[in-house]
Amino acid sequence: MNAATLAALNAARAALRPVVLATRLPDGHQMLLPDEAASPALNAAALVALAKDKNGTQEIDGSAWFLHAYAPPVRLVIVGAVHIAQSLVPMAAPLGVQIIVVDPRRSFATEERFPNVTLMDDWPDDAMKAIAPDSRTAVITLTHDPKLDDPALDQALRSDAFYIGSLGSRRTHAARLARLAALGHDEAALARIKGPVGLDIGAVSAPEIALSILAEFVAYRRRLGRPA
Amino acid sequence: MSLDILHQAEAWRAAGEEVAIATVTETWGSSPRPAGSQLLVSRSGRMEGSVSGGCIEGAVAEAAMTTIATGVPQLLDFGVTDEQAWEVGLACGGKLKVFVEKLS
C-alpha cells in the first residue's frame, strides 16, 4: 500500500464515508472503491461488500481481488449517563463501535465520567432526532426514568435501529410497554425492545450487567437482527 | 483507546519506521481470525494486531521482513497440507491466505 492510498483510506474512515480497499492479488495493485475509473463489476462487488460488511477474495474481470470493506462504525446510543453506563462505555469501546451517551442532566453527563465518547446533553427526543438511528444503530436506555427513557424508545421504535434495549425489571418494563402502546406502538413494534435488557447470565454488579447487555448487542449485530 | 491498525501504520511510518501490513484475504475451515484481520510489522520488530490465534504470526513476521527489504508483496498460503504450516503449527486445522505488502 502506498502512503497516499493509506491517507485517503483513513480520511474516508474519519469522514464516515463507506469505502472498499480493493487489492489485486498477488501483485498488490490497489484502488479505493467506488471509483468512476474502476470497472462496473468491481464497483458493484464493492457495494455488495459494504452492504454485507464482509471482506473476501473474489474473481472479478479475470483477476483475484481482495475486497476490504470499511463501513462506518456501528453506533451505540446509550441514554442515561448512569453508573451502569460507566461500566458499559469502556467495555463497548474495543468492540469498534461509535458510542454516544445522551443525558440532559449535566452532573451525570460529564467528560470526567465519560472520557473519549460523544456526549449529548439534549433531551432524548431532540438527541434522537439529531442522531437519526439507522439500521447500523443500537439504542439502549438506562435511566429508569420515563421522562428520559420513553421519548428515546419512542423515537427508536420509529427508526430502523437494529437493537433496542431498556434497563428495568419485568414490572417496570410492563408499565413502560403500556405507556409506549398509548403512544401508538403495536405489539410487533414493542417486541423489538429487549426488556429486561441483556442476556440472562444472572448479572448482579454493574460490570456484569454491562457484559450481559453487550453480549446481547453483539448477538444482534453479528446475526443481523436475528439472534438464536 | 489504542490506535487502530491503519492509524498505527501511519503513526509508525511518520516516526520513520519501515512497515509491512499483513492481511488475511481468504479462510477455509476453522481459521481463528476472519478475512480482513491485519498484522502490522515494523523493521525494528514491532508487531500490532493479529492474523491468527498466534500460530502463524512468527512466519508472517518473517515474510514481512523480506517484503520490507525487497518491497515485493507476497501472498502466503497456510494450511494443514502445507509442510511449512505444519512446522509453524496451524493446530486449528484451518487454512488461510495472507497478503503481505510494504507501506511505501
Side-chain angles (χ1 to χ4, degrees):
Chain A
M1 190 176 338
N2 63 45
T5 302
L6 178 59
L9 176 54
N10 280 341
R13 294 193 306 148
L16 303 179
R17 186 159 50 82
V19 289
V20 167
L21 177 65
T23 305
R24 193 170 60 202
L25 302 176
D27 69 7
H29 174 69
Q30 283 172 327
M31 58 177 85
L32 285 180
L33 303 174
D35 181 344
E36 282 177 14
S39 81
L42 265 176
N43 278 325
L47 292 181
V48 171
L50 283 171
K52 293 187 174 168
D53 215 350
K54 196 158 171 60
N55 312 315
T57 302
Q58 300 175 35
E59 194 77 17
I60 301 166
D61 301 332
S63 299
W65 286 90
F66 174 63
L67 301 184
H68 199 158
Y70 290 92
V74 162
R75 294 185 298 172
L76 175 59
V77 180
I78 299 169
V79 178
V82 296
H83 184 53
I84 287 173
Q86 282 182 282
S87 289
L88 195 55
V89 166
M91 288 166 94
L95 300 181
V97 296
Q98 187 201 346
I99 301 165
I100 304 166
V101 175
V102 177
D103 200 320
R105 302 167 296 181
R106 295 195 186 187
S107 53
F108 284 78
T110 64
E111 299 238 356
E112 191 182 13
R113 281 159 59 89
F114 295 94
N116 305 320
V117 301
T118 305
L119 283 175
M120 297 180 77
D121 58 13
D122 311 84
W123 278 88
D125 39 0
D126 291 335
M128 293 292 283
K129 274 179 195 134
I131 291 164
D134 57 14
S135 61
R136 296 177 58 79
T137 308
V139 179
I140 299 166
T141 68
L142 299 176
T143 73
H144 287 111
D145 182 343
K147 287 199 304 297
L148 299 171
D149 284 354
D150 287 10
L153 292 169
D154 178 38
Q155 300 269 339
L157 288 175
R158 295 175 201 280
S159 78
D160 289 333
F162 73 91
Y163 175 69
I164 304 171
S166 190
L167 189 71
S169 68
R170 282 177 205 286
R171 206 170 54 176
T172 309
H173 192 58
R176 175 184 294 138
L177 294 183
R179 290 192 306 272
L180 289 167
L183 292 176
H185 297 290
D186 63 20
E187 212 164 299
L190 295 175
R192 290 174 63 199
I193 306 176
K194 305 314 288 181
V197 66
L199 295 186
D200 185 3
I201 55 171
V204 174
S205 67
E208 288 172 0
I209 293 167
L211 185 64
S212 86
I213 293 172
L214 285 174
E216 190 171 64
F217 160 80
V218 169
Y220 271 73
R221 178 183 176 191
R222 293 303 181 194
R223 295 186 191 132
L224 304 172
R226 293 185 304 275
Chain B
M1 206 181 127
S2 61
L3 290 175
D4 82 355
I5 290 284
L6 294 182
H7 287 117
Q8 186 74 70
E10 255 185 342
W12 282 0
R13 195 172 177 284
E17 280 266 39
E18 289 187 282
V19 179
I21 303 170
T23 307
V24 176
T25 59
E26 234 172 323
T27 67
W28 298 263
S30 58
S31 299
R33 304 273 283 127
S37 303
Q38 293 183 311
L39 173 71
L40 215 55
V41 181
S42 79
R43 186 189 273 274
S44 66
R46 290 202 275 181
M47 294 209 286
E48 188 68 46
S50 75
V51 287
S52 75
C55 15
I56 60 166
E57 266 71 8
V60 171
E62 210 168 291
M65 288 301 174
T66 308
T67 286
I68 287 172
T70 63
V72 180
Q74 303 175 65
L75 186 57
L76 310 173
D77 249 306
F78 293 97
V80 283
T81 55
D82 187 308
E83 203 161 304
Q84 185 207 1
W86 186 249
E87 280 171 25
V88 300
L90 200 57
C92 48
K95 223 176 114 182
L96 72 162
K97 284 191 182 183
V98 177
F99 183 66
V100 183
E101 61 189 313
K102 184 176 181 178
L103 179 55
S104 58

